[in-house]
Amino acid sequence: MHMIDLAYVGRGPHEELVTYIADQQGFYADEGVHVALRDGCTWDAEQLRRVAVIGLGRTVLSRLNDGIPWVALNVNTARPLFWFLARPGLTSLADLAGRRLAVTPPHTGPGIFTRIVLRQAGLDVDRDVQTVVRWPGDYAMDLRWLREGKIDAAMVGDTMAPEALAAEHGWQVLAFVGDHFRIPTVGVAVDPTHIDPDGPAVQAVVRAHRRALQVIQKDPDTTVRYMQTFLGRHTADEVRAHYEKFIAPYFSTDGHTDLAAAEAGLTAVAAELGLPAPFTAAEFYRTATTTP
């Protein structure tokens, strides 16, 4: 049996669901690979490049900033699962002008997505919004600060079902980032300097993950049951509603991605960083194209 270390660099179903399904359904064992799952959330680029990585946003930024020749071999979704959640009285992204917004640092994937989406709404994060910088995690403190009125809005990930929380607290979901900006954010990436993309362990992981993507599309009951292990604060109905609106429609059926959309997303990220994009989407996302 082959062996490989696989690191996640974020939390929640967005990052972890496909891997979790592949493990729980026995797909790794079926494909002849033993996967050691590692918490790489605080690892630097040099440590990450010695393992396979789930987070594609993190590896894109690393390739742009550090020149590490990451390649993505599988894509789970090209719709970043992040939301702008706000207190009552705000109804649009434009309403964030002058407001206190909790955001992740500008060098992180979610932080860059925030800046791109707000710029589309006519807002400059550095000038028009009072930012409260928060490191990405489970966003529990952001929710506490929303309840206490210390912030007016937060950009949050899917360690929760934002629409269910908004209904519970009388808050407003101002926007789903995936409706405004597309770029592959999770899948399987490796640095060929250290790990052969065509090696048997890597390819076994890719096959297992593509089988897991089929479970997400064809077996809603099993998928929702697994999602409840991540979204324990929510009812089964709330988890299913989250699955039906944000997971089933936007997760790939085969691990492939639309390279034209990926190219546009890559160009936008590079522009936000003020850097040229020295590689194309086809060079980074080594998957066949498919219509999303």
Side-chain angles (χ1 to χ4, degrees), residues 4-291:
I4 193 168
D5 288 344
L6 177 64
Y8 57 86
V9 293
R11 307 309 301 265
H14 183 205
E15 182 93 5
E16 301 175 82
L17 181 60
V18 169
T19 302
Y20 189 80
I21 291 174
D23 178 58
Q24 296 298 306
Q25 294 288 107
F27 296 157
Y28 292 138
D30 290 348
E31 298 295 343
V33 62
H34 175 80
V35 174
L37 192 61
R38 310 293 299 277
D39 181 348
C41 293
T42 60
W43 288 6
D44 61 23
E46 284 302 314
Q47 191 171 6
L48 275 177
R49 67 190 301 191
R50 288 166 171 78
V51 303
V53 179
I54 295 171
L56 303 187
R58 176 83 172 268
T59 50
V60 162
L61 294 180
S62 179
R63 184 159 178 175
L64 286 169
N65 287 315
D66 309 315
I68 295 174
W70 295 99
V71 293
L73 308 173
N74 192 64
V75 169
N76 297 343
T77 179
R79 303 273 185 166
L81 265 67
F82 299 94
W83 296 260
F84 289 87
L85 193 60
R87 288 171 54 80
L90 305 180
T91 59
S92 71
L93 291 174
D95 291 340
L96 293 175
R99 301 288 187 164
R100 298 159 298 177
L101 171 67
V103 296
T104 62
H107 67 275
T108 64
I112 289 173
F113 303 159
T114 298
R115 301 170 81 86
I116 290 172
V117 172
L118 289 184
R119 200 178 301 281
Q120 292 175 1
L123 298 176
D124 183 326
V125 173
D126 299 317
R127 186 185 62 222
D128 301 326
V129 180
Q130 299 178 45
T131 57
V132 179
V133 177
R134 296 274 302 146
W135 193 255
D138 68 0
Y139 302 95
M141 187 59 71
D142 304 71
L143 300 181
R144 174 182 288 188
W145 287 353
L146 276 173
R147 289 194 300 268
E148 295 174 351
K150 292 183 178 179
I151 58 175
D152 300 299
M155 196 266 216
V156 301
D158 76 335
T159 57
M160 68 201 79
E163 291 194 336
L165 279 179
E168 179 182 349
H169 294 285
W171 296 338
Q172 181 76 28
V173 177
L174 300 182
F176 168 50
V177 168
D179 283 340
H180 298 267
F181 178 68
R182 291 171 57 188
I183 192 170
T185 49
V186 283
V188 176
V190 298
D191 172 9
T193 308
H194 295 280
I195 298 176
D196 180 4
D198 297 315
V202 173
Q203 290 301 312
V205 169
V206 169
R207 291 193 300 271
H209 285 198
R210 291 183 177 178
R211 292 176 65 184
L213 287 169
Q214 287 291 302
V215 171
I216 289 174
Q217 297 299 329
K218 297 180 178 180
D219 192 345
D221 292 342
T222 295
T223 304
V224 168
R225 176 164 53 84
Y226 287 144
M227 287 178 63
Q228 287 182 274
T229 66
F230 297 97
L231 303 176
R233 75 179 75 194
H234 294 296
T235 68
D237 287 343
E238 289 170 341
V239 174
R240 183 171 290 273
H242 185 73
Y243 161 81
E244 291 176 349
K245 187 167 184 178
F246 296 110
I247 303 297
Y250 298 135
F251 270 58
S252 171
T253 60
D254 54 14
H256 297 162
T257 197
D258 180 340
L259 289 181
E263 187 70 43
L266 176 61
T267 300
V269 168
E272 189 62 44
L273 291 171
L275 297 171
F279 55 92
T280 66
E283 290 170 325
F284 185 87
Y285 305 105
R286 295 188 184 177
T287 70
T289 58
T290 186
T291 302

